[in-house]
Amino acid sequence: MALENAGSIALSRQTALRQQMDTIANNIANANTTGYKAENMVFAEYVANAGRSGDLSYVQDLAEYRDMTEGAFTATDGPLDVAIRGQGFLVVEDVDENRFYTRNGRMALNDQGQLVNTDGHRVMGDRGKITIPEDAQEIQITPDGTVSYTRTGPDGAPLNQENVVGRLQLVDFDDVQSLMRAGGSLYTAPAGGLKVATDAVIAQGMIEQSNVTPVLEMSKMIATHQAYRGTQKALDIDHQLQMNAIDKLARVA
């Protein structure tokens, strides 16, 4: 019984290490994904009563923790690129009108003149989709997310009239850790907890890089791999002890 307990404890540790390795690998894969936030596993001790054997201590994956610190800002000088200073998310919508939330502010215009993100999802404004006409000049996005443009007159001279087409919808959540990853830098959110972002400020012509530190993630990957190998060695020893015990019992019988 003691040998079986040792094996099950080691297996629980190994399962946790595999989940941790998957999380680290995903962070490394998204090290260059605009607006991506690094994730980490949170583990806890699970104590189970094993009767005469006493209490057994297992490893339990408790949750994933998302690091929401800002990534470095990089200037692109693209008029449709934005970065968000402070806590907040852009709202995007796919063709099926599913809503996602992201800090990836690299945007463009589709063939209908609608503001879209790198996945082709429509970027939402406070009043719905944001459309910019084909002849728009000098597109401006203010710190509060207001999108406007100017255009030239018949003689080619710029007109000073500012045309506002919408304001980027900026949202926040009561519990940002409740967001669920939907691929890359996109997230979905459970019902409730959605609110207007109050401290988010838009920086035009910039994007926010991933906050993943590749060197740190690689060191964590090496440490996790070494821990996994150590646990596997313990399992191999446990297996060999069981085989030896079975062999001795067979000889006695």
Side-chain angles (χ1 to χ4, degrees):
M1 179 67 70
L3 292 178
E4 292 177 358
N5 290 340
S8 62
I9 291 171
L11 281 171
S12 76
R13 171 63 171 160
Q14 204 167 55
T15 300
L17 289 170
R18 289 186 64 179
Q19 293 173 319
Q20 184 169 332
M21 184 66 81
D22 289 343
T23 301
I24 294 170
N26 188 66
N27 286 340
I28 293 174
N30 286 282
N32 294 317
T33 300
T34 305
Y36 177 82
K37 300 302 178 186
E39 296 183 334
N40 301 282
M41 293 296 301
V42 178
F43 299 103
E45 179 186 31
Y46 174 74
V47 179
N49 186 283
R52 293 181 180 179
S53 298
D55 292 337
L56 300 179
S57 177
Y58 293 92
V59 181
Q60 179 184 24
D61 58 313
L62 195 62
E64 277 190 339
Y65 172 79
R66 187 171 298 111
D67 179 6
M68 293 306 299
T69 58
E70 287 184 2
F73 283 15
T74 301
T76 66
D77 297 326
L80 296 178
D81 290 336
V82 298
I84 304 173
R85 296 189 186 278
Q87 184 61 46
F89 295 83
L90 295 169
V91 182
V92 299
E93 181 183 86
D94 66 11
V95 293
D96 296 321
E97 298 186 351
N98 296 310
R99 291 288 179 95
F100 301 93
Y101 309 94
T102 182
R103 286 180 65 90
N104 182 352
R106 191 180 286 278
M107 302 183 293
L109 297 177
N110 63 13
D111 54 6
Q112 298 175 311
Q114 296 172 340
L115 203 58
V116 296
N117 72 348
T118 52
D119 297 308
H121 298 339
R122 295 180 292 265
V123 179
M124 304 304 291
D126 287 345
R127 298 183 179 180
K129 308 176 196 62
I130 296 178
T131 302
I132 300 176
E134 190 175 341
D135 61 347
Q137 304 286 333
E138 298 294 329
I139 298 172
Q140 296 290 330
I141 304 178
T142 62
D144 72 346
T146 299
V147 183
S148 63
Y149 68 93
T150 58
R151 53 160 54 105
T152 57
D155 58 355
L159 299 175
N160 292 326
Q161 180 182 3
E162 181 183 60
N163 301 276
V164 176
V165 293
R167 187 160 70 95
L168 296 174
Q169 186 177 6
L170 295 169
V171 300
D172 196 6
F173 300 89
D174 290 332
D175 180 13
V176 73
Q177 296 298 329
S178 67
L179 295 178
M180 295 165 286
R181 190 172 60 218
S185 56
L186 294 177
Y187 301 97
T188 58
L194 180 68
K195 59 185 180 182
V196 175
T198 56
D199 66 344
V201 178
I202 293 293
Q204 184 181 19
M206 305 189 79
I207 57 172
E208 180 186 5
Q209 300 290 351
S210 165
N211 67 354
V212 172
T213 304
V215 174
L216 176 61
E217 295 298 321
M218 287 300 297
S219 66
K220 288 164 59 177
M221 178 175 282
I222 293 171
T224 302
H225 178 66
Q226 291 175 337
Y228 190 90
R229 289 184 61 185
T231 306
Q232 184 59 50
K233 185 178 292 186
L235 282 170
D236 291 341
I237 293 173
D238 176 65
H239 176 70
Q240 188 59 51
L241 289 173
Q242 290 189 49
M243 294 302 294
N244 291 340
I246 292 171
D247 183 59
K248 290 179 180 180
L249 289 172
R251 290 181 182 180
V252 172

